[in-house]
Amino acid sequence: MSLVLSKREHDKKDVVTSFTPWKEENDKEDKFEDAHEIIPAAATMTLISSLEECTTGLYLFLNNRFSDAINLIYPWSKNSIYHALVYGILMVVKAILTFDPQDIEIGMTAVKEALKTCNNFRRKGRITSFSRLVSKQGIKAVKEEELHAEVCYAECLILKSAVTLIQDESILGFLKSGINIGLSYQIYKDCQQILTQMPTTQSKTSRHLVGGVKFGLGAFNLMLSLMPPKTLKLLNVVGYYGDKEVGLTLLRESASESHINNVLSILTLLFYYNYICVAFGVEMGHNSSIENLFLMYLQKFPKCIILKFFHARFSMLKGKFENAQLTLEECIVIQNEWKQLNHLCYWELMGCHIFQQNWKQAYRYADQLFQDSKWSKAMYSYSKAMLLALLPSGFAKSVNEDMNSLFLNVDSLRIRFLGTSVPIEKFVAEKGQRYGSTTGWFTAQPILEFIYAWSGFRVMSKRLHLISCWLSVIDKGHDLLRENPSKEYGTDDISLLNLLKGLCLKHLGKYSMAEQYFNHVIQKQKLLKYDHYLVPYAYYELGILYYLKRDYDSAIKNLENIKNYKDYSMEARLQFRTHIALEQIAKVK
């Protein structure tokens, strides 16, 4: 089947053709005209015109015109590889945002149809890789259109893996996703080898092909570099090891160039620097080059709720919580079509207010999430309860809620993923049972654990006075628990506060004192009854402390100790963190 179906008939002036914010000479080419309220439908489609129209669809999406984007892309989604891919992306994004079973099913159907469409344009009867074919017959044996189909097919496999993980909660579903991921990676590697042999004279569509391969390999290198070897085995990519720097370089190049996957590249980078680095990284370094590149996109799409959301996140990580709140509040009123995007804003707004100890405002957003969002009712119920613990008893009556009931209900609200509970939900469910059925605990204890579990102290690390404020809260808890020790939970509760006090002191640069408190936790490990996670996490924090002091041998020793512990809360998360930390130390040592 040929990619060139027929020549496009309608005027190309109504189509956005590329996005190159770094080249002023292309401004008139990539300028998005909001005046085009009615997007003309294409009567015919070529490879070039399909890329133009799909770029327009993505631009509509980035201008919060979600239905317009879908309506433009869908008609050609079964006859054009790029329409199929972009429609699949839009449907999967919607499924992830809503977590609605019907949307998830629509997303899976869209991805399966996209795979069929892309497969129709792939080389027929091929039993060997393209790279081997070229080595035998030369570069002319492969058509560029076939490579486009391969790259789109590989991207669709990733989308299918994502939906499978959401839809199929069994281990079989996980293995299916692993097979798809492994096949996708192989296709990208194969296409990369072919591109090195392509002639220097480029076609009008080759930049999209090159950009797609850079995006795919960049994302894979970054993803694989973060995963411990055991996880790679489960994902069926044994023998592949990602290089983080290679991945980030490829993604930066891809995001800086004009092609259809540049938007996905910048979004991948934004997610990495704003969330992955915070949750799993050794140091939360600020990358000005990525932020500058991001600001170019934001200038191009100033009303895009997704980009504005990341702008707010950048502000949070700089400690500018007031600025972040204003931006997030703007996001909420910008669009109302995909309300689930607003839920992302509610979550971050709740975090901003928690960090600043504005309990009532934080409760407002926790309650809004509980009412409207399907992502994690368990987490939202726990959030409401932990905030009520800090508010006057009269406030709970005014909102017709009971703290203990909210804590106890967390367990029944958990969702299952791969046949098991989500680790963070299991953690708060166990805590909810404890706090909802016992008395005598420090009222700030639940929220302190919540902040630690969500890397909140790292987010606050640019506002040291906030760290100091939370240190005062922890000291108050120490005093109260010493005055009224609990026979059942006393050692666990004091050890938690010791871990968090050490963490605050570390952020304040008081390394010697921090080290003492981390060691206090480790010394009590045989006396802990419930919170066994505290000891391996204390070893992790101690290892990072030594890393910051450039005592790399001691850092490695403490991080290696974590391998001696199993079956504790949030274990997988710590394994990822430890792997990344050891990799980082190996590079600088």
Side-chain angles (χ1 to χ4, degrees), residues 444-445 447-453 457 467 470-471 474 478 493-507 517-518 521 533-534 541:
Q445 216 168 292
I447 204 166
L448 284 166
E449 282 184 300
F450 177 91
I451 293 172
Y452 183 63
F457 290 101
I467 297 290
W470 282 101
L471 182 57
I474 293 167
H478 262 124
D493 291 349
I494 289 293
S495 294
L496 168 66
L497 296 183
N498 282 337
L499 175 68
L500 300 183
K501 183 165 185 175
L503 186 62
C504 290
L505 290 168
K506 184 193 77 174
H507 284 306
Y517 281 96
F518 293 144
V521 179
Y533 80 95
L534 293 172
E541 299 296 351

Side-chain angles (χ1 to χ4, degrees), residues 30-77:
D30 57 33
K31 184 178 179 181
F32 186 91
E33 298 292 348
D34 283 323
H36 295 143
E37 295 298 330
I38 300 175
I39 306 296
T44 56
M45 195 66 60
T46 65
L47 178 58
I48 294 175
S49 59
S50 71
L51 285 162
E52 292 174 346
E53 185 160 278
C54 288
T55 302
T56 302
L58 289 174
Y59 283 20
L60 287 168
F61 182 83
L62 292 174
N63 278 271
N64 308 322
R65 295 169 61 178
F66 308 119
S67 294
D68 287 342
I70 293 170
N71 292 336
L72 177 68
I73 298 299
Y74 176 72
W76 281 95
S77 62

Side-chain angles (χ1 to χ4, degrees), residues 234-252:
L234 288 173
L235 287 174
N236 196 44
V237 284
V238 182
Y240 299 131
Y241 297 96
D243 187 310
K244 184 180 73 173
E245 294 307 318
V246 169
L248 292 173
T249 298
L250 286 170
L251 286 168
R252 277 195 296 267

Side-chain angles (χ1 to χ4, degrees), residues 327-392:
T327 304
L328 290 167
E329 288 164 0
E330 289 175 11
C331 287
I332 292 170
V333 299
I334 279 177
Q335 66 86 38
N336 200 37
E337 186 176 344
W338 282 16
K339 293 183 179 180
Q340 294 76 19
L341 290 170
N342 292 345
H343 299 163
L344 294 172
C345 301
Y346 296 158
W347 177 262
E348 295 296 351
L349 280 164
M350 182 183 77
C352 285
H353 287 298
I354 286 174
F355 298 150
Q356 298 171 92
Q357 301 183 19
N358 298 325
W359 313 134
K360 284 187 180 180
Q361 293 91 330
Y363 180 87
R364 169 191 164 198
Y365 289 110
D367 185 55
Q368 192 82 46
L369 284 165
F370 186 82
Q371 299 298 327
D372 299 340
S373 176
K374 297 181 179 180
W375 287 332
S376 179
K377 295 287 187 183
M379 187 60 65
Y380 306 145
S381 181
Y382 184 87
S383 300
K384 290 176 65 175
M386 72 183 188
L387 288 162
L388 287 178
L390 296 163
L391 287 160

Side-chain angles (χ1 to χ4, degrees), residues 141-325:
V142 179
K143 296 178 181 179
E144 185 188 323
E145 289 86 350
E146 293 170 340
L147 290 176
H148 280 278
E150 291 293 314
V151 171
C152 289
Y153 189 83
E155 205 164 329
C156 288
L157 285 173
I158 298 174
L159 293 175
K160 186 180 180 183
S161 298
V163 182
T164 300
L165 287 172
I166 298 172
Q167 192 178 50
D168 189 344
E169 299 175 345
S170 67
I171 294 298
L172 179 61
F174 186 71
L175 294 175
K176 286 179 180 178
S177 294
I179 292 170
N180 287 328
I181 289 172
L183 177 57
S184 175
Y185 188 48
Q186 286 279 24
I187 292 173
Y188 278 121
K189 292 281 287 183
D190 196 31
C191 289
Q192 181 192 39
Q193 292 184 39
I194 297 298
L195 288 177
T196 61
Q197 303 175 59
M198 294 273 286
T200 54
T201 54
Q202 301 290 305
S203 68
K204 292 182 179 180
T205 58
S206 62
R207 59 188 166 91
H208 297 280
L209 181 60
V210 174
V213 172
K214 283 184 179 181
F215 162 68
L217 288 178
F220 267 112
N221 267 281
L222 183 59
M223 176 183 72
L224 297 179
S225 72
L226 301 174
M227 292 185 176
K230 289 183 180 179
T231 307
L232 291 179
K233 290 180 181 179
L234 288 173
L235 287 174
N236 196 44
V237 284
V238 182
Y240 299 131
Y241 297 96
D243 187 310
K244 184 180 73 173
E245 294 307 318
V246 169
L248 292 173
T249 298
L250 286 170
L251 286 168
R252 277 195 296 267
E253 290 178 2
S254 180
S256 303
E257 296 165 354
S258 175
H259 60 89
I260 198 166
N261 275 300
N262 58 7
V263 172
L264 290 178
S265 299
I266 191 64
L267 292 179
T268 302
L269 288 168
L270 291 174
F271 184 75
Y272 172 75
Y273 282 108
N274 283 278
Y275 288 97
I276 300 299
C277 282
V278 176
F280 301 106
V282 177
E283 294 179 277
M284 197 177 68
H286 177 66
N287 191 298
S288 57
S289 64
I290 295 301
E291 185 172 4
N292 290 336
L293 180 59
F294 158 71
L295 291 174
M296 292 181 183
Y297 278 83
L298 185 62
Q299 184 179 16
K300 183 67 71 171
F301 303 103
K303 295 181 181 180
C304 176
I305 184 173
I306 298 173
L307 295 180
K308 286 182 73 69
F309 172 82
F310 278 113
H311 197 206
R313 182 68 178 180
F314 272 120
S315 295
M316 288 179 66
L317 297 183
K318 293 176 183 176
K320 300 177 180 179
F321 296 112
E322 297 82 2
N323 291 350
Q325 288 166 213

